[in-house]
Amino acid sequence: QLQASGGGLVQAGGSLRLSCTARRRTSSNNGMAWFRQAPGKAREFVAAISWRGQTTLYADSVKGRFTISRDNAKNMVSLQMDDLEPEDTAVYYCATSRSSYGSRQLSDYVYWGQGTQVTVSS
């Protein structure tokens, strides 16, 4: 249901913009989020946004560097990632929440994209 894109290889300090498009209107009234999973680690919360885009949440590790946004007319949620660090290297997943608000809890999300690889070199 969700298609993520925009990953790639970038040097530390660089930027990437991830996009996630819903193939049908499954997310226009739902909160959405980005999670990430590095090799050998559990999937972790990155950022979330409410269905109207009025409320956003960020993990402490990305606050001030990443910005989540959405365009409901295009069924799209984006993650602008600036000042990237090698520790940001992971597969990034977009997800749709059960509710109209985003949360930090992985179990609150019902639809997941296939993931897009982000690699930050030092």
Side-chain angles (χ1 to χ4, degrees):
Q1 307 295 337
L2 301 175
Q3 182 73 37
S5 62
L9 173 63
V10 64
Q11 290 187 331
S15 298
L16 283 174
R17 185 176 182 87
L18 305 183
S19 295
C20 176
T21 303
R23 294 178 182 175
R24 58 190 178 103
R25 294 184 66 83
T26 57
S27 60
S28 60
N29 295 323
N30 298 81
M32 297 192 71
W34 290 93
F35 286 75
R36 67 186 182 187
Q37 188 166 18
K41 295 187 177 181
R43 192 168 298 189
E44 66 175 5
F45 170 78
V46 175
I49 188 167
S50 61
W51 77 278
R52 288 182 174 178
Q54 294 173 319
T55 303
T56 56
L57 297 171
Y58 294 95
D60 288 344
S61 59
V62 307
K63 197 173 296 183
R65 300 187 298 120
F66 290 11
T67 303
I68 189 171
S69 60
R70 67 187 297 165
D71 184 340
N72 288 340
K74 297 181 179 179
N75 296 330
M76 180 182 292
V77 62
S78 299
L79 185 69
Q80 177 66 39
M81 306 186 295
D82 298 318
D83 194 20
L84 282 160
E85 303 169 352
E87 292 75 21
D88 296 318
T89 295
V91 177
Y92 284 70
Y93 298 90
C94 58
T96 301
S97 175
R98 301 174 190 275
S99 73
S100 60
Y101 294 92
S103 79
R104 302 174 188 273
Q105 303 301 319
L106 189 147
S107 59
D108 288 344
Y109 294 85
V110 292
Y111 297 113
W112 292 84
Q114 85 288 359
T116 185
Q117 177 70 48
V118 171
T119 303
V120 184
S121 63
S122 58

